[in-house]
């Protein structure tokens, strides 16, 4: 329930045992590696694996478009949704890596993709040319016709500009033949034959009258012949494209193997990259990193089983070195780490905020969603997701958090009388209604001020808890100066609460007077002590007075909790509106009105649940990050990243262990792995 102690370690071993020890550390999955001084940054083996990995990824992406979709029943789809990946053994992975002829296969896929792109590009080009040619199908000229003494142009004019040009040709007596072709009202198609002696005049005239020249594709024949030829060529290319697609579909039967190879190569890359972190001598190597302190002995024993020469040493941290942060919480609190992780990791010497935020976060979420019916649905769907998807324990965190949130929402919603927006008092009197009404404690709509005060009160509680945690942390760190400041503020804040409760709520004169003196004492403590770090004696008191400005910050923090009321009301009011709209449609539409009403009820309430559950998560988290965490945590630590086997397609949990196959993989890796270098 805290930031786990982490040890910095040094693993020493013989080069002959290097791969076996790396394999063990990979399976151990509890070490974060450090790149040691003098270690390699990149080597040929790693480059080759990354190149092969890129090829496999390309092939998978390409073949995915041509993999036939298998028809599945609803039950089979549900089963597939629950699948965690391909179930395979180390033996099968090693066999595929050794026997699958990967390079020629990738080349075949690359050539296939290039051919298909070329076919499609040519089809697109010819389709565009065909459209252009079809626009000029009335043109009887041969496209390859060349005249020695004349120039031929085709293009378009507006009717007005064309008439002006015709008049100018007649006026100037130029040797120009202009032929109109059928066109549209806006554009007139023409072809122009001009003698070379009129070329200079015509160039200027075409510019002046905004001639839009058209360049038809080159062809040995007429426009109609060009169109026919392109139709034939497109049919030929389409056939080639279809053949290539069929070949791609045939190759897609290897997608399953490629997925396994992808993960197998990823594991090889990880181990080669990890090996590059090591410092090497001619016969020995050294690998450094961090592990949880509680796993030190376990790792030491495991290393000795692999190699009797292996040595595990604990290293002291450098003066300014911060180890990675590993959070360890109980199963109950662990799901809330997903809330903490959004903010970031605490520093190694700070407290893990997860157990402290858990009760507040879940209660705020419930207040924001505030509908017992929605809570049941949220918890039920989250539970079903875990069961249907067969999620391993390590991946259940977020869903378990939603289950907690759903249960808390059910409790708070019942206390608020929120049941899918129903007004319990208006329902027919029966045992169920009476039971639900007996659970109702407060109506948020008719008592918003009471709920607002309650929201601010729990905000005060969380702020005081945050300052108390800071006081505990500073005492634990033996930072007595900071602990005094935290204690002084805690003294004042509790005094203010006592004064408000005793003097204003209980209205006890004696207790109220004690509260006043308590607040005075707290203010005096701050004024007299908060300027103590000032060297100038005349600034100590002014700085103490200035420190009281932080009261505004605490007041602002508490006011922020009023959002709990606003979000809680919005959920209930939207639910009521959904019910009203559904009833309106029921009455408006005869016979089918019930069907429409049911559709509105289901869709409306699911939308309300989704949008307000999202809002509840965001605003509950925001209260932790902005109002709670800064009271005792700075953050900025780096999360522990273990050197562990990850997979995109293969179900890692079902990988069977086989020393024989490990040896085969080692042998394969040795063939392409890094060579030791003298340091």
């Amino acid at each position: 329930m805290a930031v786990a102690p982490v040890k910095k370690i040094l693993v020493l071993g013989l080069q002959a045992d290097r791969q076996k020890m790396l394999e063990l550390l990979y399976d151990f999955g509890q070490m974060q590696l450090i790149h040691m001084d003098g270690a390699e940054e990149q080597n040929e083996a790693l480059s080759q694996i990354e190149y092969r990995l890129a090829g496999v990824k390309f092939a998978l992406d390409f073949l995915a478009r041509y993999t036939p979709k298998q028809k599945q029943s609803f039950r089979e789809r549900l089963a597939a949704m629950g699948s965690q990946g391909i179930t395979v053994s180390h033996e099968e992975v090693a066999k595929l890596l050794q026997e699958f002829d990967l390079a020629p296969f990738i080349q075949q896929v690359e050539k296939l993709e290039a051919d298909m792109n070329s076919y499609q590009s040519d089809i697109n080009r010819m389709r565009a040319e065909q459209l252009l040619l079809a626009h000029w199908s009335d043109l009887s000229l041969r496209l390859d016709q060349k005249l020695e003494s004349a120039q031929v142009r085709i293009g378009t004019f507006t009717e007005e500009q064309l008439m002006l040009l015709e008049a100018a040709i007649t006026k100037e007596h130029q040797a120009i033949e202009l032929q109109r072709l059928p066109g549209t009202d806006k554009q007139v198609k023409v072809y122009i034959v001009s003698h070379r002696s009129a070329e200079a005049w015509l160039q200027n005239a075409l510019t002046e009258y905004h001639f839009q020249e058209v360049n038809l594709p080159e062809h040995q024949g007429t426009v109609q012949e060009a169109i026919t030829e392109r139709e034939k060529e497109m049919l030929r290319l389409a056939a080639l494209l279809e053949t290539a697609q069929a070949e791609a579909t045939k190759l897609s039967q290897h997608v399953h193997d490629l997925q396994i190879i992808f993960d197998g190569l990823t594991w090889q890359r990880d181990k080669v990259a990890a090996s590059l972190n090591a410092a090497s001598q001619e016969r020995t190597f050294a690998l450094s990193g961090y592990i949880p302190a509680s796993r030190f002995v376990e790792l030491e024993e495991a290393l000795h089983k692999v190699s009797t020469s292996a040595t595990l040493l604990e290293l002291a941290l450098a003066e300014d070195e911060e180890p990675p942060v590993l959070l360890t919480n109980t199963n109950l609190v662990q799901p809330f780490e997903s809330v903490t992780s959004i903010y970031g990791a605490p520093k190694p010497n700070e407290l893990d905020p997860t157990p402290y935020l858990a009760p507040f976060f879940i209660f705020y979420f419930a207040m924001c969603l505030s509908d017992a019916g929605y809570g049941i649905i949220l918890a039920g769907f989250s539970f079903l997701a875990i069961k249907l998807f067969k999620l391993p324990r390590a991946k259940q965190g977020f869903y378990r958090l939603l289950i907690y949130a759903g249960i808390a929402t059910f409790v708070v919603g019942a206390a608020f009388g929120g049941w899918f927006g129903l007004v319990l008092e208006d329902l027919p009197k029966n045992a169920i209604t009476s039971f639900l009404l007996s659970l109702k404690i407060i109506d948020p709509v008719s008592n918003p001020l009471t709920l607002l005060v309650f929201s601010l009160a729990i905000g005060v509680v969380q702020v005081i808890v945050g300052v108390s945690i800071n006081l505990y942390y500073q005492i634990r760190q033996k930072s007595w100066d900071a602990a005094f400041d935290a204690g002084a503020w805690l003294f004042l804040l509790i005094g203010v609460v006592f004064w408000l409760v005793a003097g204003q709520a209980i209205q006890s004169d004696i207790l109220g007077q004690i509260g006043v003196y308590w607040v005075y004492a707290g203010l005096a403590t701050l004024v007299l002590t908060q300027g103590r770090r000032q060297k100038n004696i005349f600034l100590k008191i002014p700085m103490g007075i200035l420190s009281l400005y932080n009261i505004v910050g605490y007041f602002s923090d508490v006011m922020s909790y009023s959002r709990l009321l606003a979000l809680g009301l919005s959920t209930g009011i939207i639910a009521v509106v959904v019910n009203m709209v559904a009833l309106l449609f029921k009455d408006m539409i005869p016979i089918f009105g019930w069907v429409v009403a049911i559709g509105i009820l289901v869709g409306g309430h699911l939308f309300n649940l989704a949008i307000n559950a999202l809002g509840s998560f965001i605003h509950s988290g925001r209260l932790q990050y902005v109002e709670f965490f800064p009271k005792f945590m700075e953050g900025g630590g780096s999360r522990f990243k273990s050197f562990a086997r990850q997979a995109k397609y293969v179900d890692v949990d079902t990988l069977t262990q086989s020393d024989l196959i490990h040896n085969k993989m080692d042998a394969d890796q040795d063939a392409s792995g890094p060579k030791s270098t003298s340091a």
Side-chain angles (χ1 to χ4, degrees):
M1 201 169 69
V3 176
V6 172
K7 285 186 176 181
K8 185 178 181 181
I9 62 169
L10 183 68
V11 178
L12 299 172
L14 296 175
Q15 289 289 2
D17 299 329
R18 181 170 179 154
Q19 294 306 326
K20 285 191 293 185
M21 292 172 66
L22 271 173
E23 190 73 41
L24 180 137
L25 292 174
Y26 202 40
D27 289 337
F28 185 67
Q30 293 291 323
M31 182 176 179
Q32 177 172 321
L33 298 172
I34 298 174
H35 190 78
M36 299 187 69
D37 293 338
E40 296 177 272
E41 295 290 342
Q42 184 81 0
N43 69 0
E44 182 63 23
L46 183 59
S47 299
Q48 287 181 4
I49 294 175
E50 288 178 340
Y51 177 78
R52 297 172 70 194
L53 205 52
V56 175
K57 184 177 185 307
F58 161 76
L60 283 170
D61 291 343
F62 174 75
L63 295 177
R65 287 176 272 168
Y66 303 99
T67 303
K69 303 296 181 187
Q70 296 181 350
K71 292 183 179 180
Q72 293 178 314
S73 64
F74 180 71
R75 186 173 182 177
E76 289 173 332
R77 289 181 184 179
L78 286 179
M81 289 171 64
S83 173
Q84 296 306 300
I86 303 170
T87 301
V88 68
S89 66
H90 278 298
E91 183 177 11
E92 291 168 300
V93 176
K95 185 178 180 182
L96 272 173
L97 287 172
Q98 290 176 349
E99 297 182 357
F100 195 94
D101 210 358
L102 187 60
F105 184 87
I106 299 298
Q107 289 173 1
Q108 186 179 1
V109 174
E110 288 174 342
K111 182 178 183 307
L112 196 58
E113 193 229 18
D115 289 344
M116 292 170 69
N117 287 340
S118 175
Y119 299 150
Q120 190 61 59
S121 175
D122 287 346
I123 290 173
N124 293 339
R125 177 175 56 80
M126 293 204 171
R127 185 173 291 126
E129 290 179 356
Q130 190 183 35
L131 286 174
L132 178 61
L133 290 166
H135 192 61
W136 292 90
S137 59
D138 298 325
L139 187 66
S140 58
L141 291 175
R142 289 179 62 86
L143 295 177
D144 58 338
Q145 185 173 3
K146 304 292 183 185
L147 302 175
E148 292 184 1
S149 59
Q151 177 74 28
V152 178
R153 291 181 177 84
I154 62 172
T156 60
F157 284 102
T158 63
E159 180 64 36
E160 181 183 0
Q161 297 295 329
L162 179 58
M163 291 177 65
L164 291 173
L165 176 62
E166 289 173 332
I169 292 173
T170 305
K171 181 180 178 181
E172 298 293 334
H173 303 289
Q174 295 292 336
I176 298 172
E177 175 69 19
L178 192 150
Q179 182 68 45
R180 289 172 176 250
L181 296 172
T184 63
D185 295 338
K186 294 181 179 179
Q187 294 291 324
V188 180
K189 295 187 291 184
V190 298
Y191 77 85
I192 305 171
V193 181
S194 61
H195 192 270
R196 293 195 182 281
S197 60
E199 189 63 21
W201 181 89
L202 181 60
Q203 284 284 357
N204 294 331
L206 292 178
T207 303
E208 181 180 354
Y209 297 114
H210 307 292
F211 175 63
Q212 301 294 323
E213 187 167 3
V214 174
N215 295 311
L216 294 178
E218 293 184 358
H219 178 74
Q220 302 292 325
T222 64
V223 172
Q224 282 292 352
E225 290 171 346
I227 293 173
T228 303
E229 182 182 291
R230 275 154 182 75
E231 287 176 348
K232 292 179 179 177
E233 184 62 12
M234 281 194 293
L235 288 174
R236 187 185 72 83
L237 290 169
L240 289 174
L241 184 61
E242 188 176 348
T243 303
Q245 289 172 341
E247 188 176 354
T249 302
K250 186 178 178 182
L251 291 179
S252 69
Q253 64 182 318
H254 296 289
V255 163
H256 182 270
D257 291 342
L258 289 174
Q259 290 173 338
I260 297 173
I261 290 172
F262 181 88
D263 282 341
L265 287 175
T266 301
W267 301 335
Q268 283 191 359
R269 181 200 60 188
D270 290 348
K271 284 180 278 189
V272 172
S275 182
L276 291 179
N277 290 300
S280 299
Q281 298 288 343
E282 184 176 354
R283 300 185 59 187
T284 62
F285 76 97
L287 201 59
S288 183
Y290 304 97
I291 64 167
S294 59
R295 309 296 295 273
F296 185 85
V297 175
E298 181 185 349
L299 177 60
E300 189 174 36
E301 292 174 354
L303 284 171
H304 285 161
K305 288 181 181 177
V306 171
S307 171
T308 54
S309 63
T311 302
L312 180 62
L313 302 175
E314 180 181 352
L315 301 179
L317 295 175
E319 187 176 351
D320 57 347
E321 184 177 2
E322 286 192 352
V325 175
L326 178 64
L327 303 181
T328 56
N329 287 289
T330 61
N331 288 334
L332 184 66
V333 176
Q334 209 169 35
F336 293 90
E337 288 182 5
S338 58
V339 181
T340 303
S341 64
I342 295 175
Y343 182 84
K347 288 190 171 181
N349 60 346
E350 290 182 328
L351 296 170
D352 176 11
T354 308
Y356 306 109
L357 74 85
F360 292 108
F361 177 86
I362 210 68
F363 185 62
Y364 297 161
F365 185 100
M367 281 193 67
C368 292
L369 198 53
S370 68
D371 189 290
Y374 290 177
I376 294 173
I377 293 176
L378 184 63
F381 280 5
S382 302
F383 178 78
L384 285 175
I386 292 175
K387 294 300 179 185
L388 287 176
F389 298 160
K390 299 177 183 174
L391 294 176
R393 186 80 180 181
K395 296 181 180 179
Q396 292 179 5
F398 183 71
Y399 295 94
R400 288 167 57 205
L401 178 63
L402 293 182
I403 291 176
Y404 297 162
I407 294 172
T409 302
F410 169 74
V411 174
V412 173
F416 286 1
W419 296 91
F420 298 108
L422 297 173
V423 181
L424 298 179
E425 288 78 2
D426 295 342
L427 295 178
K429 302 298 181 185
N430 54 41
I432 296 177
T433 307
S434 299
F435 174 70
L436 296 181
L437 282 171
S438 68
L439 298 176
K440 185 175 180 179
I441 298 174
I442 184 173
D443 185 351
V445 177
S446 58
N447 299 282
L449 284 179
T450 304
L451 201 58
L452 175 62
V453 172
F454 180 73
S455 300
L456 299 179
I458 57 177
V460 170
V461 171
Q462 190 173 26
V463 168
I464 289 177
V465 169
V467 178
S468 302
I469 295 172
N470 185 37
L471 175 60
Y472 163 72
Y473 169 69
Q474 299 300 344
I475 292 174
R476 198 181 73 165
Q477 294 294 110
K478 298 182 180 178
S479 301
W480 305 116
D481 197 48
F484 178 83
D485 289 339
W489 277 105
L490 185 62
F491 179 73
L492 174 62
L493 293 174
I494 295 177
V496 171
V497 173
F498 182 84
W499 171 68
L500 288 173
V501 174
Q504 307 302 316
I506 302 177
Q507 295 187 341
S508 167
D509 292 338
I510 297 176
L511 293 178
Q513 196 63 32
I514 293 174
V516 170
Y517 289 136
W518 190 337
V519 172
Y520 286 161
L523 293 173
T525 302
L526 290 172
V527 169
L528 294 175
T529 62
Q530 295 304 293
R532 65 184 183 278
R533 299 182 185 86
Q534 290 293 325
K535 294 181 179 178
N536 189 333
I537 191 171
F538 296 105
L539 290 179
K540 291 182 180 293
I541 296 300
M543 292 304 294
I545 296 173
L546 193 61
S547 70
L548 298 181
Y549 182 76
N550 289 333
I551 294 175
V552 177
Y554 286 110
F555 179 76
S556 175
D557 290 344
V558 172
M559 292 304 296
S560 186
Y561 288 80
S562 61
R563 72 188 62 225
L564 299 176
L565 166 68
L567 289 165
L569 287 177
S570 67
T571 305
I573 291 173
I574 293 174
V576 171
V577 171
V578 169
N579 294 341
M580 292 174 62
V581 172
L583 288 175
L584 283 175
F585 274 90
K586 178 187 76 68
D587 297 333
M588 287 171 56
I589 305 174
I591 302 176
F592 295 104
W594 274 108
V595 178
V596 176
I598 290 173
I600 292 174
L601 286 173
V602 174
H605 282 296
L606 285 178
F607 172 78
N608 193 26
L609 169 59
I611 198 72
N612 280 294
L614 178 64
S616 301
F617 192 97
I618 292 172
H619 287 280
S620 300
R622 191 258 184 209
L623 289 174
Q624 314 307 315
Y625 307 145
V626 180
E627 269 70 48
F628 187 48
F629 284 6
K631 301 293 182 297
F632 62 92
M633 190 180 86
E634 182 179 344
S638 59
R639 296 297 296 266
F640 187 90
K641 298 176 182 176
S642 58
F643 173 53
R645 194 183 305 276
Q646 304 290 336
K648 185 175 182 180
Y649 302 104
V650 170
D651 185 0
V652 178
D653 295 336
T654 61
L655 275 172
T656 56
Q657 301 296 321
S658 167
D659 293 339
L660 174 64
I661 299 311
H662 275 285
N663 292 337
K664 286 184 178 179
M665 295 181 73
D666 293 341
D668 178 63
Q669 191 169 320
D670 284 340
S672 58
K675 308 299 182 187
S676 60
T677 56
S678 298

